[in-house]
Amino acid sequence: MKILALDTSTDYCSTALLLDGDLRSDEVCAVQKHSELLLPMVDRMLIDTGIGLDQLDGIAFGAGPGSFTGLRIACAVAQGLAFGAGKMVLPVSTLLALAHRSGADRVVAAFDARMGEVYLAAYERDGAGWRTTIEPCLQAPTAVPELPGGNWTAVGSGFAAYDGALVHACGDKLQHVDVALYPRAADIACLAAPLFSLGLGVAPEEAAPLYVRDRVALKVTER
């Protein structure tokens, strides 16, 4: 499989190319310059490997949750590249990519969603893939869905936010916490490859970000 992957859901902008098991990736801390950096990074990756868009089996992107603007950038670029090359697109959960990055078998992943909330999901390894234990959701850090059993690895910025309220809420369910971990395009490529091999991609016009939250600001009465 030849998979191009993109992620701009965090401060980092990353690209990856999976070429029949050989994974190449590139990333840079972009802050607010994702739109300027992403396409040149894709071009450089394709030129360096000698791969054309027409040779790809599909294009995957970090669909969210994450930065609203970042999610739209990755989705739009993936759609544009795929539409022009006649390829399928696969949106991949950034929380699942974060779990994959951890290397653990039982992972609860969370991002700081601002406004006193976190984006959260939990996953368990199931053979070569993953089983979703808690679907991606938006929660107050003190109102986390119950985690079954123990020995969970906690990853992501959500566990550092709000004075560690999420760590406290999970209590003795956690065996390890890594607040510095973030999703990368390399993880998205690895997760997308087996799905593309099953024909699970979508047409470019059907791809969409996974926002989870449907608004980004508090009303005056809520402030």
Side-chain angles (χ1 to χ4, degrees):
M1 298 292 290
K2 295 178 176 61
I3 307 297
L4 174 67
L6 322 169
D7 185 68
T8 55
S9 62
T10 67
D11 283 347
Y12 287 85
C13 182
S14 63
T15 59
L17 196 57
L18 184 62
L19 302 175
D20 302 318
D22 178 25
L23 182 62
R24 306 189 184 197
S25 62
D26 186 21
E27 69 176 22
V28 62
C29 185
V31 188
Q32 296 180 358
K33 296 184 177 180
H34 300 80
S35 60
E36 301 173 30
L37 297 171
L38 185 55
L39 278 172
M41 289 173 67
V42 170
D43 286 342
R44 185 165 61 249
M45 180 78 69
L46 295 174
I47 290 171
D48 288 348
T49 56
I51 297 296
L53 289 172
D54 61 319
Q55 296 174 267
L56 297 174
D57 292 293
I59 299 174
F61 71 97
S67 158
F68 277 41
T69 300
L71 301 183
R72 289 194 292 268
I73 290 170
C75 181
V77 170
Q79 287 176 313
L81 294 174
F83 186 80
K87 302 298 177 179
M88 301 294 278
V89 174
L90 193 65
V92 175
S93 166
T94 50
L95 290 167
L96 180 56
L98 188 56
H100 187 270
R101 166 62 50 175
S102 75
D105 292 332
R106 309 187 85 197
V107 187
V108 53
F111 297 133
D112 180 6
R114 313 295 183 186
M115 297 169 64
E117 296 173 308
V118 295
Y119 299 120
L120 180 141
Y123 305 94
E124 298 179 76
R125 286 197 185 271
D126 184 8
W130 291 89
R131 179 174 67 255
T132 302
T133 304
I134 297 175
E135 293 285 348
C137 58
L138 181 68
Q139 296 283 342
T142 55
V144 183
E146 182 71 16
L147 291 168
N151 299 317
W152 288 88
T153 293
V155 293
S157 63
F159 289 93
Y162 313 113
D163 297 321
L166 186 54
V167 174
H168 180 74
C170 292
D172 60 4
K173 301 282 188 176
L174 306 180
Q175 67 171 353
H176 178 68
V177 179
D178 186 345
V179 301
L181 218 58
Y182 57 91
R184 293 172 169 88
D187 305 300
I188 291 166
C190 292
L191 291 166
L195 300 178
F196 272 127
S197 69
L198 295 173
L200 297 182
V202 300
E205 63 272 19
E206 296 177 0
L210 174 63
Y211 291 122
V212 179
R213 171 184 282 153
D214 58 7
R215 60 194 179 99
V216 295
L218 292 173
K219 297 178 182 178
V220 172
T221 55
E222 296 172 319
R223 293 175 187 167

